[in-house]
C-alpha cells in the first residue's frame, strides 16, 4: 500500500515537540526583577539597551559580510566613497 507521509495516527512523520521552556534574556530579567521589591528597573533597562545594541551590531556585521560576498570590490569601494 502506498504511503502518504503519515504514520497512521493522522500526524506527520518525524514531528518533534517544540521546547517552550527556553529562558530568554528578557524573560530572565523580568522574573528576577519581580523577585526584588526594591528594584527600580534601571539595571533591566541597561541590559535591554545592551541587548539591542548587540543585536544591531550583529545585524550589520552579517549584512556587511553579505555585501562583501555578493558585490565586487570596485562597486563596494565606489559606494563607500560616495557616502563619505
Amino acid at each position: 500500500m502506498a504511503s502518504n507521509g503519515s504514520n497512521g495516527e493522522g500526524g506527520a512523520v518525524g514531528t518533534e515537540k517544540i521546547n517552550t521552556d527556553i529562558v530568554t534574556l528578557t524573560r530572565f530579567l523580568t522574573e528576577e526583577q519581580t523577585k526584588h521589591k526594591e528594584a527600580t528597573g534601571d539595571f533591566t533597562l541597561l541590559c535591554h539597551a545592551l541587548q539591542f545594541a548587540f543585536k544591531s551590531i550583529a545585524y550589520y556585521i552579517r549584512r556587511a559580510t553579505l555585501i562583501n560576498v555578493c558585490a565586487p570590490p570596485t562597486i563596494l569601494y565606489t559606494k563607500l566613497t560616495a557616502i563619505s
Side-chain angles (χ1 to χ4, degrees):
M1 186 164 180
S3 174
N4 63 357
S6 65
N7 59 5
E9 299 175 359
V13 175
T15 58
E16 296 180 18
K17 183 179 177 187
I18 298 173
N19 184 4
T20 58
D21 296 330
I22 298 172
V23 179
T24 62
L25 178 62
T26 303
R27 181 185 293 182
F28 174 77
L29 290 173
T30 304
E31 290 172 356
E32 290 298 314
Q33 185 175 349
T34 56
K35 291 179 184 177
H36 303 280
K37 301 297 181 196
E38 70 278 1
T40 60
D42 292 338
F43 181 71
T44 302
L45 183 63
L46 173 67
C47 288
H48 285 299
L50 287 172
Q51 178 185 19
F52 180 74
F54 295 150
K55 285 184 176 186
S56 297
I57 291 168
Y59 166 77
Y60 285 112
I61 289 173
R62 282 192 310 271
R63 189 170 175 216
T65 303
L66 287 176
I67 290 173
N68 290 339
V69 168
C70 297
T74 55
I75 294 174
L76 185 61
Y77 177 75
T78 56
K79 287 183 180 180
L80 290 175
T81 54
I83 293 172
S84 59

